[in-house]
Amino acid sequence: MTQQSKNPTEVLLRSVRLSYPHLLTPRSFANDPTSVPKYSASLLIPKTDAEALKVIQTAVSTAIERAVAGKFGGKKPAKGSLHLPYRDGDAKDEDGVYLDSNEEARGCYVLRASSKDKPRVVTRNPKVPAVEEDIWPGEEAHVLVNFGAYKMGANAGIACYLNAVQVTGRGERIDGRTNPEDAFAGLENDASNDSDFDDGLLGSFDDAA
């Protein structure tokens, strides 16, 4: 269940899928190699998860309100005039071509999250830090994000910042490789893993916030 923390711009998204995850090593934007390297991922949120979208929209609206007096010079901008960090994965242009070419985006909202600072990334056991081999495109994860406003010249919008990530080792890969959970099925006690997975999850994220 998606949750909003005591901070109204902070949201814990449960069981979203990772696309283009760069969580342990920062990357520059492909179309701008001179840009500041960031840790990032696109989060695939099923449209059936209406609660998640509602909580995200509420956090975005709060971030806008908080920025009125400062970044927005005392005037509240219309949400439609701002660059927002999420998009409809089924949206098409006037020629009927999908704006997002990735098939995994169909039936989902795509939330782009990034941070200059390295987020805390853990495995199903929240006490164990994740390594590169633990993270793959299509994997499910619980992700703690925070929304904030920005204004740079004529460009203004709301950004989604990565705070912490818990990868689950579950989910269908979208890079053509075999899911480790399928490859090693039966070689470990799932019950003990699930116990590690559940214990202290919210506490670990609350401590990181």
Side-chain angles (χ1 to χ4, degrees):
M1 179 176 66
T2 297
Q3 294 181 330
Q4 203 152 22
S5 73
K6 294 178 182 179
N7 179 352
T9 61
E10 189 175 67
V11 175
L12 174 60
L13 297 165
R14 290 179 177 267
S15 299
V16 297
R17 296 179 71 200
L18 302 175
S19 179
Y20 298 104
H22 302 295
L23 302 178
L24 302 181
T25 304
R27 297 286 184 90
S28 298
F29 290 109
N31 59 352
D32 184 8
T34 64
S35 63
V36 176
K38 293 183 179 181
Y39 302 90
S40 63
S42 291
L43 311 179
L44 304 177
I45 304 170
K47 289 185 176 180
T48 53
D49 191 350
E51 179 186 9
L53 181 62
K54 181 179 179 180
V55 173
I56 289 171
Q57 290 175 330
T58 298
V60 167
S61 295
T62 301
I64 293 172
E65 292 288 349
R66 286 183 170 183
V68 170
K71 290 184 173 65
F72 297 145
K75 296 181 179 180
K76 182 179 178 180
K79 187 181 289 187
S81 69
L82 297 173
H83 296 288
L84 299 179
Y86 59 88
R87 63 183 184 274
D88 184 344
D90 295 312
K92 298 180 180 180
D93 62 19
E94 58 185 13
D95 296 320
V97 178
Y98 284 111
L99 296 177
D100 192 318
S101 61
N102 298 303
E103 287 297 323
E104 61 269 18
R106 305 296 170 258
C108 297
Y109 290 103
V110 183
L111 176 65
R112 180 68 175 174
S114 64
S115 175
K116 293 179 183 178
D117 300 319
K118 189 174 183 177
R120 184 183 178 195
V121 186
V122 298
T123 63
R124 288 170 66 176
N125 181 342
K127 297 179 181 179
V128 179
V131 296
E132 289 289 355
E133 290 75 14
D134 296 320
I135 303 166
W136 68 84
E139 184 175 14
E140 290 183 358
H142 306 310
V143 185
L144 186 68
V145 297
N146 189 49
F147 295 88
Y150 67 87
K151 191 174 190 305
M152 297 179 290
N155 293 322
I158 301 297
C160 178
Y161 300 101
L162 277 172
N163 282 0
V165 180
Q166 182 179 37
V167 293
T168 69
R170 299 169 175 160
E172 182 179 352
R173 296 187 71 123
I174 55 179
D175 60 359
R177 299 177 66 183
T178 301
N179 185 336
E181 189 166 82
D182 295 332
F184 303 117
L187 298 182
E188 60 182 343
N189 188 325
D190 288 338
S192 63
N193 282 344
D194 286 343
S195 176
D196 287 339
F197 171 56
D198 290 332
D199 289 345
L201 170 62
L202 292 179
S204 70
F205 276 152
D206 288 342
D207 292 342

